[in-house]
Amino acid sequence: EISLGLVGSEMCIRDRFLNVMKMLVVPVVLVSLISGVANLGDPSKLGRIGIKTLLLYLLTTSIAITLALCVASLFQIGVGSNLTTDSSVLIPPNTTLSETFINLIPSNPFKAIVDGNMLQIIVFSILFGVSITLAGEKGKRITSFFKDIEAIIMRLVIMMVAITPIGVFCLIANLFAKQGLSFIGHLVSYFFTVLAVLVIHVFFTNTFFLSVLAKLNPLSFFKKMVPAALFAFSTS
């Protein structure tokens, strides 16, 4: 009875922790993108920066996915773990490429925000940010407003990060309660595989693009990126 009670408490904390993380995603993306695009100033810059960013994102993501699949297949990560899928999770129906592009533009941005449709939220945020820039002096007042909102949202994120160790503990404890301590071997192999691929991607892929495309000294770049990288790693 005691063990069942502990598992129940951990599940309760786990679910609340996950809800907190989900709660933050939409406001962070929405406000950060609107503020970032509005602060670019010249909309023509957004076009050039946007295209380069999209192409680079697709390229580096493709490389990262390929690395991860190759390493996971090579070391047979997860084989024999017998994890079950939550039956409440529904797999969305297949859509064509043209339908995917059409669905990028929300017919109702408020519905996209409520549903947490991230692609539609991103498109709306970019368009809204460009519109603020084109609005001139009136847009500057709105830009200042969103900068203040962004600072408040980030303060909320930092507050929530404080409870992350408790939430992660409950997630892992609940996993072991269901799967048994023997599962720790699979989890450790998964963890170090992810870590290894991240190291390869950062210090080989990113170093190559920094040197060749950006003409930057990778050592100087990584040194200045340490605070942001540590924050991202500790909250991922």
Side-chain angles (χ1 to χ4, degrees):
E1 289 180 1
I2 293 173
S3 62
L4 287 173
L6 287 172
V7 171
S9 298
E10 287 165 356
M11 287 182 66
C12 183
I13 296 172
R14 178 203 67 178
D15 293 340
R16 290 177 181 176
F17 173 69
L18 290 175
N19 285 340
V20 166
M21 294 296 105
K22 292 174 184 177
M23 174 189 76
L24 293 174
V25 173
V26 171
V28 166
V29 172
L30 181 72
V31 174
S32 298
L33 272 177
I34 291 175
S35 180
V37 173
N39 278 300
L40 279 176
D42 183 4
S44 63
K45 292 180 182 178
L46 178 64
R48 294 194 298 272
I49 293 172
I51 292 171
K52 290 178 181 178
T53 302
L54 178 62
L55 292 175
L56 189 63
Y57 172 77
L58 291 174
L59 178 60
T60 54
T61 301
S62 300
I63 294 172
I65 292 170
T66 303
L67 278 172
L69 289 174
C70 289
V71 173
S73 298
L74 180 65
F75 293 101
Q76 296 290 292
I77 303 302
V79 173
S81 58
N82 296 320
L83 277 173
T84 55
T85 304
D86 186 354
S87 59
S88 65
V89 177
L90 298 177
I91 300 174
N94 293 329
T95 56
T96 63
L97 186 61
S98 59
E99 288 175 334
T100 301
F101 281 113
I102 291 171
N103 291 332
L104 286 176
I105 301 175
S107 58
N108 185 340
F110 297 103
K111 185 177 185 300
I113 292 170
V114 171
D115 293 342
N117 190 322
M118 295 312 301
L119 285 175
Q120 292 187 353
I121 291 171
I122 290 170
V123 171
F124 172 74
S125 301
I126 292 172
L127 293 175
F128 195 83
V130 171
S131 301
I132 290 173
T133 303
L134 295 174
E137 288 298 321
K138 294 180 179 179
K140 289 181 180 178
R141 294 199 295 270
I142 301 297
T143 301
S144 178
F145 169 77
F146 273 102
K147 285 179 69 175
D148 292 342
I149 293 293
E150 183 182 20
I152 294 169
I153 292 293
M154 292 313 297
R155 179 56 56 184
L156 177 61
V157 170
I158 292 171
M159 287 168 54
M160 294 302 104
V161 165
I163 68 169
T164 298
I166 300 171
V168 171
F169 172 82
C170 292
L171 286 169
I172 301 300
N174 183 261
L175 178 67
F176 287 149
K178 290 180 177 178
Q179 301 293 330
L181 287 176
S182 59
F183 188 75
I184 195 169
H186 295 290
L187 193 64
V188 168
S189 63
Y190 169 75
F191 172 80
F192 281 106
T193 300
V194 171
L195 196 61
V197 174
L198 286 173
V199 169
I200 294 169
H201 188 61
V202 168
F203 291 106
F204 288 91
T205 308
N206 287 356
T207 298
F208 173 78
F209 285 118
L210 283 168
S211 303
V212 176
L213 297 182
K215 308 296 183 184
L216 292 174
N217 183 335
L219 291 177
S220 299
F221 178 83
F222 288 130
K223 186 178 179 180
K224 293 179 179 179
M225 282 292 291
V226 164
L230 288 175
F231 181 79
F233 180 77
S234 62
T235 59
S236 62

